[in-house]
Amino acid sequence: MQKRMVHTAFTSFKPARALQIGVLLGLGGLTACSTLPTPQAPAQSVSTEVLAGSVGNNLDIFLPSSDRLGIQKNATADQEKAFAFTTANNIAYAMAAVEAFNPSSNGQDASCYYTNGQVAVASGAQKLVVSAAAPITDVVCTSTNTLFAVTTIIGNQIYTVATPKNPAKLIARTVATNILTAMAAVEAYNPTSNGNDISCGYASSVQKVWVSSGTQQRILSAPAPINLIDCSGGTLTQFQVKVGTSDGQSVTLTAPKNTSKTLARAAATNILGAMASAEEANPYTNGMDAVCSTKSSQVIVTSGAQKRTLNIAAPVLVSTLSCVNSSTEFWVSIGTSNGQIVEVKAQKDPVKAAVRAIGLKAIAAMQQLEADNPIATGDDVVCSYIDGTLTVASGATITSLAIPAPVTGLVCLNTINEFSVTLSTTTGQTVTAKVLKSPDFVVAQNLARLVANNMYALEVNNPSSNGADAVCIVNLPNLTLRSGAETFDTVLPAQVTGVSCINTLTHIDVTISTSSGVHVTARGTK
């Protein structure tokens, strides 16, 4: 057996390494969220950040892009080690975030699930997704009363990070970063601001903080153990906020003012959120079909029938917009009129993506069986899931599929108009995948049944029929059915391009073809 080398590091969440977290803010129709504003950059500067997911009360955790891109195949041992520890630190931070913002957490229930280069981190309903790209091959996480332990594996090398817990400091830094973002937003959207008129109000009884500039106001969550918020240290050139906790800790953050870049990042993150929301709400999604387009000062995001409209306010000054959607991530790039480019990427939940793909594979099997079964009624495909095996049947036609983890249960539904599969997982998630049947398929299937039934009826009404003499005569768009002197004439739908009939003493098979490439055979049994 090959031996593995074990590397262990003990770390803490320091300000310099802490991942930045932003909050969703209502900006006059546009929900804005952002990380800590950065200094004014030169023309055509590019800022790329990676959104790991949402946690707590609309809090979003960001990871530095350099930590998610992976490393080259020819990387040195030192580069692999640094990458392994960086990834482990990111996962540990995500564990701390979900546990800290889960009100029902027992203080040691953060978990992680690794698949396909991504790690789904969860505590109760709080979930984040962190990249664990190649060459990492596995991740193991543990949460105890005193620390988070994360192990990343590369080949025969094992790298473990042990991070002491300090949830109060994490919450304080999160709230402080969110307040900085809100300060930038209200000042930018206040046309009468003098550039240094931010005020904050904090009410411990409702655990909220109000950030204002003129009539612009944002209301943010400030959960326990927060007991102090001070925004009075800002100047014309920078924002400042101090957040204290009931155990005597405090965090003071400052941020240089850079309105266009801050708001561009906020807009990009909002578009990501809209893409994720639309795709999540679309039961017919293929997992990568949310797209965006611009119209005047709005961004329109769609996924199937789901639509989200975002108003982009003047301070953003968007000159270019690009949205990319893949099976693993969303990506949005916004260029401002002063030459800056902000890119934000969000990784998708790897568990949901994998489960949706399994669901669509099951639906593909249902589709194939219905198409291949000449006596299908159009809604008779059924499924049975037992111990990792899915059996799909339509009449006497049966097929089986192996259903891999993390699926633990699967239920199928077939109607005249759609296929639907609902899957449950080891992580407690439920995913439903649906596929609408092609309108041409439904038309062709119904028409084929009608023609077969009418041919049989003509034979029954023809006293001299030999029991297999009904024929179909096609002269598009007209169709004539005949058995002796008995006839039936009809006009075919415009999309029909062909009709063929096979008549025997026991059954009649009718095949309908359409311009969209659909071919459906229906059998009428005598």
Side-chain angles (χ1 to χ4, degrees), residues 191-244:
T192 61
S193 172
N194 63 11
N196 188 29
D197 55 8
I198 299 290
S199 64
C200 293
Y202 168 61
S204 59
S205 59
V206 292
Q207 298 184 334
K208 300 291 184 183
V209 57
W210 287 261
V211 181
S212 303
S213 173
T215 60
Q216 294 294 316
Q217 185 181 83
R218 308 293 177 260
I219 302 175
L220 310 177
S221 175
I226 302 302
N227 68 353
L228 168 69
I229 293 176
D230 181 3
C231 302
S232 62
T235 68
L236 286 171
T237 59
Q238 74 172 18
F239 301 105
Q240 179 175 304
V241 60
K242 179 180 180 181
V243 177

Side-chain angles (χ1 to χ4, degrees), residues 443-467:
V443 168
Q445 191 173 58
N446 291 336
L447 180 61
R449 292 197 198 102
L450 178 64
V451 171
N453 290 338
N454 282 339
M455 289 176 67
Y456 179 60
L458 291 177
E459 283 183 353
V460 171
N461 292 331
N462 176 14
S464 59
S465 172
N466 63 11

Side-chain angles (χ1 to χ4, degrees), residues 275-336:
M275 293 174 72
S277 169
E279 206 165 84
E280 180 74 16
N282 175 17
Y284 304 102
T285 181
N286 62 7
M288 50 189 295
D289 57 7
V291 296
C292 67
S293 60
T294 57
K295 180 180 180 182
S296 184
S297 61
Q298 293 181 326
V299 174
I300 312 298
V301 176
T302 58
S303 172
Q306 294 294 319
K307 181 179 179 181
R308 308 288 186 269
T309 301
L310 303 178
N311 297 313
I312 305 298
V316 178
L317 301 174
V318 174
S319 60
T320 61
L321 172 66
S322 177
C323 302
V324 178
N325 187 359
S326 73
S327 60
T328 59
E329 71 179 11
F330 300 106
W331 177 88
V332 174
S333 175
I334 287 183
T336 66

